[in-house]
Amino acid sequence: MDFELRRAREKLEKEQKERKDRARLRLERDRKAKEEARKQREALEAVRRSRRLEAAEAQLKADEQMQENLIAGRGIVFSRVLEAVGFQGSGDKIKLPPSCFTELSDQGAFDKGPLYFQLSVVHHEANSETNQKTTHSGALEFTAEEGQVGLPPHVWSNLFPLDNTPSPVSALVDVRYVWLPKGIYAKLQPDVVGFSDIPNHKAVLETSLRQHATLSEGDVITVNHGVLAYRLRVLELKPSSSVSVLETDVEVDIVGSDSPLDSANQHVLKQLTFGVSESGMVEEGNYNYYKFSIDDLVWETVSSGDVRIEVKIEVETGDGDTDLYISKHPLIFPNRHQHEWSSHDMGSKVLILNSKDKNLGVGTYSIGVYGFKGTAKYKVLVSAQDNSTVKVGQQAGSTTSSVNADTVECRNCKHFIPSMSIALHEAYCSRHNLVCQHPGCGVVLRVGEAKNHVHCDKCGQPFHKDEINKHMKVFHEPLQCGCGVVLEKEQMVQHQASVCPLRLITCRFCGDMVQAGNSAMDTRDRLRGLSEHESHCGSRTAPCDSCGRSVMLKEMDIHQVAVHQKS
């Protein structure tokens, strides 16, 4: 009996213990579940709180951006992210889709004057370093494909400086309408030396800036002068870091390049000083350029006939040969086709400039040393030489007259020989001298030298046989002009100096050196002697200094005479 009671009590205690353990486990699970639920609620609340903060920050940023856009656009808000597409054009004006025209027109942007845009790179897979690059532009037209913006080379190279040519790589640009103040000052720096050598280089820069609507600090603008292109970086602008250059006078300060002189750059003028030689070396087919100036004092002595200008080249190596070309500015880089003076002698050579040359005068001159054959090491010297030929002790025409009166002309060499020795002279002369029988020549030659005396089959000029090949190559080898005309050297120089439509001239209206083009379309302009470019460039208007009326530049002189009686 006691055993059964004990077994029942133990069984009851065991069941009670199991119930307590199950109850404890249930309480523990409930506690853990509540703790997990609490943590989930806190995490969810944190996420919601973070999202509310982010939304508030985004709204604040959007409001600030909207306010900035309102300020930048003077009440007009326009911003589009478009795919950049390049097109060939000049200046900084871009092409936008027609929908942009509608949006801007609806906000009255066209009533506020010229359109200006801030362009910022937002995505460019090929070059992530340019993501923050920003520049400004004007509007050319609204004919681009929807979702695209057309960028001319100037804008493209400033947005993507390491990828100067448009490529198929996707590039997104944020185009934002802004208002820009008119510029009053710009500081520019060429990337290489030589830009200041351009005659009237500020007028050339002004011509280039007419194609631009804006300037931004850090941008690089390209200035074309003839066949050359100069890159100038915008260092400083006033009154803002980005300005408008439309219909405004900007004071331009051009500082010197901080790049060292590149000896490989052919289109750089090295300064020469009178009487001081300069050494150089030129390879076949290349040019080395120098410059010298004739001031008023030097020209006074030259024009009086007392002094002549000599340009001398001494070739120091026997295997090389050079040609010499000289021009007066504004032609700053003379070459085989375009020059005013030239020398093609073998080896060393001298070019003499004197007062009889109608193109000579006060100004700056360029010297082009052309490598005709091989690699030539040389020295170039510009000097002023005395023209006096009076010899000390030269006297008495009576002596000369008496000698001339008692002389006889040699039948072989045609020299006048004293009559008492004429027979002996003629016997000796006929054995040792020969007279060239070429028509118009008659040069007396030593018998040993006669075999080296030859004449050009085309022009008949006499040469040493070692020089005839160079003469044929330089003067009679056909040259092709860029306009398609094929001529020999002398005709080519005349062609490119007077009639070639591709010849470079200095425009009388813009001061830039430009291609002349064909004859002017307007008969009156042809009578004025205006080229095609000058006819177009002179059609720009400017206010008359006397009455303030807008008059075409090419009509300004007629206006002054007809209206203000000024001659």
Side-chain angles (χ1 to χ4, degrees):
M1 187 72 176
D2 294 336
F3 175 73
E4 292 177 355
L5 291 173
R6 187 171 61 256
R7 290 286 301 273
R9 186 171 58 255
E10 291 177 354
K11 183 180 180 180
L12 178 62
E13 290 176 352
K14 183 178 179 180
E15 291 176 352
Q16 289 177 345
K17 183 179 179 182
E18 290 177 353
R19 285 196 296 272
K20 290 180 180 179
D21 291 342
R22 286 196 296 271
R24 186 171 62 254
L25 291 174
R26 187 167 55 251
L27 290 173
E28 184 66 22
R29 285 196 301 270
D30 293 344
R31 186 184 65 78
K32 289 183 178 180
K34 290 179 180 179
E35 182 67 20
E36 187 67 24
R38 184 184 64 78
K39 290 181 179 180
Q40 291 180 356
R41 286 195 302 273
E42 290 179 353
L44 183 60
E45 183 62 29
V47 171
R48 291 175 178 173
R49 188 164 52 249
S50 176
R51 289 178 178 176
R52 288 195 298 270
L53 289 175
E54 290 177 356
E57 291 177 357
Q59 184 62 41
L60 180 61
K61 187 176 181 180
D63 293 342
E64 291 177 352
Q65 187 65 54
M66 179 67 72
Q67 189 66 25
E68 291 178 2
N69 291 344
L70 285 171
I71 296 174
R74 294 293 179 96
I76 297 174
V77 179
F78 172 85
S79 179
R80 288 278 191 94
V81 176
L82 303 171
E83 180 183 357
V85 177
F87 74 92
Q88 291 302 317
S90 57
D92 66 345
K93 297 180 180 179
I94 62 176
K95 295 180 181 180
L96 292 170
S99 59
C100 296
F101 176 87
T102 303
E103 184 174 346
L104 289 166
S105 179
D106 292 342
Q107 298 187 57
F110 295 95
D111 298 332
K112 295 183 177 292
L115 303 180
Y116 305 112
F117 298 95
Q118 175 183 292
L119 309 179
S120 304
V121 178
V122 295
H123 177 61
H124 189 213
E125 296 176 359
N127 183 14
S128 59
E129 295 180 359
T130 62
N131 286 351
Q132 302 301 319
K133 186 61 180 175
T134 299
T135 188
H136 292 78
S137 73
L140 179 64
E141 55 189 40
F142 294 86
T143 58
E145 297 289 337
E146 289 296 334
Q148 296 182 348
V149 55
L151 305 181
H154 167 79
V155 178
W156 186 282
S157 62
N158 282 297
L159 282 178
F160 312 109
L162 301 182
D163 183 17
N164 289 335
T165 57
S167 65
V169 177
S170 175
L172 299 181
V173 176
D174 181 18
V175 182
R176 194 180 305 274
Y177 175 89
V178 294
W179 176 87
L180 294 179
K182 289 185 178 294
I184 59 174
Y185 173 81
K187 180 188 290 186
L188 308 178
Q189 182 182 46
D191 61 348
V192 295
V193 298
F195 179 73
S196 59
D197 290 329
I198 300 177
N200 201 8
H201 56 274
K202 288 195 174 183
V204 175
L205 176 61
E206 179 184 351
T207 301
S208 179
L209 288 179
R210 288 199 199 103
Q211 302 173 347
H212 291 257
T214 68
L215 282 181
S216 300
E217 290 182 359
D219 279 1
V220 175
I221 62 175
T222 301
V223 178
N224 295 309
H225 183 71
V227 297
L228 304 178
Y230 298 91
R231 291 164 52 86
L232 287 80
R233 183 171 298 277
V234 182
L235 300 181
E236 182 183 355
L237 294 170
K238 293 180 181 180
S240 174
S241 59
S242 300
V243 299
S244 164
V245 293
L246 291 177
E247 299 178 357
T248 183
D249 292 329
V250 181
E251 179 186 352
V252 179
D253 185 14
I254 300 177
V255 299
S257 172
D258 55 5
S259 300
L261 180 64
D262 185 4
S263 58
N265 185 1
Q266 297 186 46
H267 294 98
V268 173
L269 299 178
K270 302 174 185 177
Q271 182 69 49
L272 290 179
T273 304
F274 274 85
V276 180
S277 64
E278 181 79 19
S279 298
M281 186 167 59
V282 62
E283 297 181 355
E284 183 174 336
N286 291 340
Y287 289 89
N288 284 346
Y289 285 107
Y290 303 87
K291 65 179 179 179
F292 67 94
S293 298
I294 298 179
D295 56 20
D296 293 330
L297 183 60
V298 173
W299 174 242
E300 183 178 350
T301 59
V302 172
S303 60
S304 66
D306 297 334
V307 168
R308 65 183 183 273
I309 304 297
E310 287 190 1
V311 180
K312 183 177 182 180
I313 288 185
E314 294 183 357
V315 179
E316 300 179 353
T317 54
D319 59 339
D321 191 17
T322 63
D323 287 336
L324 176 63
Y325 301 101
I326 300 180
S327 67
K328 185 178 181 181
H329 291 191
L331 178 58
I332 58 177
F333 297 113
N335 54 43
R336 298 173 65 192
H337 291 186
Q338 292 183 311
H339 57 266
E340 295 179 59
W341 301 274
S342 65
S343 175
H344 305 275
D345 296 339
M346 296 284 290
S348 300
K349 52 189 66 68
V350 177
L351 245 178
I352 298 177
L353 309 179
N354 54 43
S355 57
K356 295 180 180 179
D357 294 318
K358 62 180 181 179
N359 294 328
L360 193 66
V362 176
T364 304
Y365 295 78
S366 292
I367 300 174
V369 181
Y370 175 69
F372 178 77
K373 183 183 70 173
T375 299
K377 187 177 181 182
Y378 61 88
K379 286 185 178 180
V380 58
L381 172 68
V382 178
S383 60
Q385 299 293 333
D386 192 354
N387 269 334
S388 176
T389 57
V390 178
K391 297 181 180 179
V392 177
Q394 186 175 9
Q395 292 281 340
S398 59
T399 304
T400 304
S401 300
S402 63
V403 171
N404 289 339
D406 192 19
T407 58
V408 179
E409 184 181 25
C410 174
R411 289 173 293 180
N412 187 53
C413 66
K414 307 303 180 183
H415 289 177
F416 285 92
I417 307 299
S419 57
M420 65 180 62
S421 59
I422 186 61
L424 182 63
H425 169 81
E426 287 183 341
Y428 177 87
C429 185
S430 60
R431 292 195 307 270
H432 295 85
N433 296 331
L434 294 176
V435 178
C436 179
Q437 299 301 315
H438 190 279
C441 182
V443 174
V444 179
L445 302 165
R446 302 291 291 181
V447 173
E449 297 174 352
K451 60 182 180 180
N452 295 325
H453 181 76
V454 294
H455 285 263
C456 176
D457 294 335
K458 292 191 174 183
C459 62
Q461 294 187 28
F463 293 96
H464 191 279
K465 71 174 185 178
D466 294 337
E467 299 177 345
I468 190 65
N469 290 334
K470 180 175 182 179
H471 169 78
M472 295 297 295
K473 184 175 180 62
V474 171
F475 287 90
H476 300 301
E477 186 176 275
L479 302 174
Q480 183 170 4
C481 181
C483 67
V485 174
V486 178
L487 298 169
E488 293 183 355
K489 176 186 177 295
E490 296 295 339
Q491 292 79 16
M492 180 62 73
V493 172
Q494 294 297 325
H495 167 75
Q496 292 208 352
S498 57
V499 297
C500 178
L502 302 182
R503 72 187 186 279
L504 299 179
I505 63 169
T506 302
C507 176
R508 67 188 74 181
F509 302 115
C510 66
D512 193 4
M513 180 167 279
V514 295
Q515 292 182 350
N518 297 311
S519 299
M521 297 294 293
D522 193 309
T523 305
R524 293 173 299 177
D525 291 346
R526 289 200 297 271
L527 293 175
R528 294 190 187 104
L530 301 182
S531 66
E532 183 181 21
H533 167 83
E534 290 175 325
S535 176
H536 174 74
C537 186
S539 298
R540 295 182 292 111
T541 60
C544 172
D545 294 336
S546 301
C547 63
R549 290 174 53 188
S550 293
V551 182
M552 285 194 297
L553 296 177
K554 61 185 179 182
E555 303 282 357
M556 190 65 73
D557 54 348
I558 299 176
H559 170 79
Q560 293 287 351
V561 173
V563 178
H564 304 293
Q565 297 299 316
K566 292 183 178 180
S567 56

